[in-house]
Amino acid sequence: MSVITTVEQLEALYGLPGEASVVKELDHVIPEYAAFIEASPFVALATCGPEGLDCSPRGDLAGFVRIVDAKTLIMPDRRGNNRADSLKNIIRDPRVGLLFLVPGSGTTLRINGRAHITTDAALCASFTVEGKPARSVTIVDVDSVYFQCARAIVRSQLWNPAKHVDPKSLPTPGKILEITSRRNIDAEAYDREWPERAKKSMW
């Protein structure tokens, strides 16, 4: 097996990036990039910490990641499973990566920066939905922002309804938990109760 171990080997294989790949990267959010952030209801948040890496989904109403100015974004953190892996990482290593998806669009937006967490009451309250404020707010200082071309979305046919997988063909969360808990969690009971629990903790 041939293993690439140097950047020089990698560049020899792939070549150097073209002009379009370089000029699209900026150190601030321009109106054209802002349009994607404001239209996005989903972002993948990548963080790193002493235990390793984490990539966590974040979803809310479109535009839930707010643009304070060209160098600053803010994002609410809602109720969840309380693992708080991403937030723990940010406290110990502020570097973050964000990947924004817009349903129906092949273009994605990538942002790299540094983050910190606040529980400022007014700021959390400004993200109130269904009477529930954000539990905390992540503030991101933008270092770089650029769009990713549509190749990955096109190849995957992510937005093609004909390619959507029937959820019934996949293991349910309850089934997975039953196996990983060595049957301490009952699969049928968990899956039956989950929709109601989800409603209570949605926001």
Side-chain angles (χ1 to χ4, degrees):
M1 179 174 64
S2 297
V3 179
I4 294 176
T5 58
T6 69
V7 173
E8 290 74 19
Q9 289 175 317
L10 191 66
E11 289 179 344
L13 177 64
Y14 283 93
L16 297 176
E19 181 184 9
S21 297
V22 176
V23 299
K24 65 183 179 182
E25 182 175 354
L26 302 173
D27 65 356
H28 62 284
V29 177
I30 58 175
E32 290 75 11
Y33 284 160
F36 285 91
I37 297 171
E38 292 165 352
S40 175
F42 180 90
V43 62
L45 171 64
T47 60
C48 55
E51 290 81 21
L53 306 177
D54 181 72
C55 187
S56 175
R58 293 289 191 268
D60 218 317
L61 302 176
F64 74 101
V65 177
R66 293 183 194 162
I67 303 167
V68 177
D69 55 49
K71 293 285 289 182
T72 313
L73 307 178
I74 54 177
M75 176 172 59
D77 191 73
R78 305 288 185 190
R79 295 176 180 273
N81 57 20
N82 293 330
R83 286 181 57 114
D85 294 322
S86 298
L87 303 184
K88 291 175 183 175
N89 280 349
I90 288 171
I91 289 171
R92 296 172 293 181
D93 187 328
R95 293 176 296 171
V96 297
L98 297 94
L99 176 68
F100 292 87
L101 296 180
V102 179
S105 172
T107 301
T108 61
L109 188 72
R110 298 174 61 173
I111 290 180
N112 297 316
R114 291 154 292 107
H116 63 277
I117 304 162
T118 180
T119 55
D120 178 83
L123 195 53
C124 289
S126 73
F127 283 101
T128 297
V129 177
E130 298 290 331
K132 298 177 181 178
R135 300 184 82 176
S136 66
V137 174
T138 300
I139 300 174
V140 179
D141 298 318
V142 175
D143 288 332
S144 67
V145 52
Y146 53 98
F147 75 89
Q148 189 79 28
C149 72
R151 287 189 183 90
I153 302 296
V154 171
R155 289 181 187 132
S156 68
Q157 299 190 53
L158 183 63
W159 307 128
N160 181 356
K163 296 295 183 179
H164 288 183
V165 175
D166 181 356
K168 294 179 181 178
S169 70
L170 300 172
T172 66
K175 181 62 176 177
I176 295 170
L177 288 171
E178 184 176 77
I179 297 300
T180 58
S181 70
R182 298 182 179 179
R183 302 193 182 281
N184 287 329
I185 294 176
D186 181 81
E188 290 186 6
Y190 183 91
D191 289 333
R192 184 174 58 251
E193 297 166 1
W194 188 86
E196 192 60 33
R197 289 200 306 272
K199 288 181 183 178
K200 293 179 181 179
S201 63
M202 185 67 71
W203 306 106

